[in-house]
Structure formats: structure tokens, C-alpha cells
Amino acid sequence: KTILGILTLALISAVLSMPLHFLLPVFTEEILQVGAQELGFLWSALGLGAIFGSLGVASLGNRNRGMMMLVFTLGLGIALVAFSSSTWYTVSLFLMIPVGLGHAGRMALSNALTQAYTDDEHRGRVMSVYMMEFGVMSIATFGAAALAEIIGIQLAIGGMAALMVFVVIFYVAFVPRIRRLS
């Protein structure tokens, strides 16, 4: 049940947050109305946040990792909602830092917890399912792009992020097994 809970959260959060990586060029062109150089700066800000997120997870040790995974995922969702609402490039640039931080923290902690709580005999199979996150991300991008065509890119990204926030709140409230992982 523990592994299933971690894998489910990882998969849901990947489906709801990772399409931004593929849709960011459209967002920068249509909403922020900037070019390739500014897109590069957005990617750099995302990378800067990811570095901070990775270092943060590395400094945690083996305590409260379940709750920290939920906090990073919640922070990612909130940052994505804020980013999707922004029409100002400078604000969007600074919001990419917590987006990157949340992505890196969520991915590192879900990976670490999956490996820590899987027995040696099943670790390869479980990690294969975990890595499915990257394949599903591409499929989710198709859905997100189709949704963006219908309701607009801001609502698509923001709505998916808001749904992720609700999923994390559900986990915090009703899945204590994940919240209590160390």
C-alpha cells in the first residue's frame, strides 16, 4: 500500500505538472509575448530552482521524507497555478524558481521513498513502474495541449496544477501512511 501510494502520487503529479515543460514555448509566445532568449531565461530559472530543490532534499536526511514529498508537490502545484496566472514576464521568471524547486524535490523524494520502501527482490520491477512517469508525461502533454486548444493554455496549465493541489491536500488529509514516511 505504501509503494502504491507513492507511485500513484508520483504518476498523478507528473501527469498534471510535467506538460508545462513541453508547452512552455507556446506559453511564452502567446501569453508572455516574448522570444527564444526569454524562454531560455525561464528554463534557466527552472534549473536554478531544481538545483536548490535537489540540494534541499540531499540535506534532509531520512526524516519526514513523506511529508516533505507532499510539501514539495504542494509547492509545485501552487507555483504552477501562480505561473499560469501571470502575464508579466518578470513575475513568470521568478515563479519558475519555485516550480523547478518543487519538481526536483518531488521527483527526488518520490524516487528515494520508492526505493527505500521496496524490498530488494522487487526493486527493479517497481522502479520500472516508477519510470513509467516519463512515458506517461508525453501522453499527458497531448491531453494538456488538446485542453489548451479548447480552454486556453493558462486555464489548462492552471487547472491541472489546481487539481494537483487538491490531490496533495487529499493525501495529507486521508493518506497518513504517506505523510508519516521517514
Side-chain angles (χ1 to χ4, degrees), residues 20-87:
L20 171 73
H21 292 275
F22 296 99
L23 299 176
L24 190 58
V26 176
F27 191 90
T28 57
E29 184 178 315
E30 289 183 9
I31 305 303
L32 301 177
Q33 298 178 351
V34 295
Q37 182 177 5
E38 290 83 3
L39 174 61
F41 288 134
L42 288 169
W43 279 114
S44 296
L46 183 86
L48 181 65
I51 289 169
F52 288 133
S54 297
L55 292 174
V57 169
S59 68
L60 283 177
N62 291 342
R63 59 188 189 283
N64 300 321
R65 291 183 299 177
M67 190 60 181
M68 290 308 300
M69 177 182 65
L70 294 169
V71 167
F72 274 106
T73 308
L74 180 64
L76 169 60
I78 292 169
L80 277 173
V81 167
F83 175 82
S84 70
S85 302
S86 173
T87 57

Side-chain angles (χ1 to χ4, degrees), residues 11-170:
L11 186 63
I12 290 170
S13 59
V15 164
L16 296 175
S17 68
M18 296 299 273
L20 171 73
H21 292 275
F22 296 99
L23 299 176
L24 190 58
V26 176
F27 191 90
T28 57
E29 184 178 315
E30 289 183 9
I31 305 303
L32 301 177
Q33 298 178 351
V34 295
Q37 182 177 5
E38 290 83 3
L39 174 61
F41 288 134
L42 288 169
W43 279 114
S44 296
L46 183 86
L48 181 65
I51 289 169
F52 288 133
S54 297
L55 292 174
V57 169
S59 68
L60 283 177
N62 291 342
R63 59 188 189 283
N64 300 321
R65 291 183 299 177
M67 190 60 181
M68 290 308 300
M69 177 182 65
L70 294 169
V71 167
F72 274 106
T73 308
L74 180 64
L76 169 60
I78 292 169
L80 277 173
V81 167
F83 175 82
S84 70
S85 302
S86 173
T87 57
W88 294 337
Y89 174 74
T90 305
V91 171
S92 299
L93 180 66
F94 284 105
L95 285 170
M96 287 303 275
I97 296 170
V99 169
L101 188 134
H103 270 302
R106 178 200 67 80
M107 290 175 70
L109 284 165
S110 61
N111 189 326
L113 287 168
T114 300
Q115 291 191 51
Y117 285 90
T118 302
D119 59 46
D120 291 341
E121 182 179 324
H122 297 101
R123 187 167 292 118
R125 284 182 253 170
V126 170
M127 291 311 296
S128 293
V129 172
Y130 175 83
M131 296 307 288
M132 189 173 60
E133 171 181 321
F134 296 102
V136 170
M137 173 179 62
S138 298
I139 296 168
T141 300
F142 174 77
L147 187 61
E149 278 292 317
I150 297 167
I151 64 173
I153 194 159
Q154 284 183 292
L155 285 176
I157 292 172
M160 291 168 56
L163 182 56
M164 186 171 63
V165 168
F166 287 115
V167 168
V168 173
I169 291 169
F170 174 84

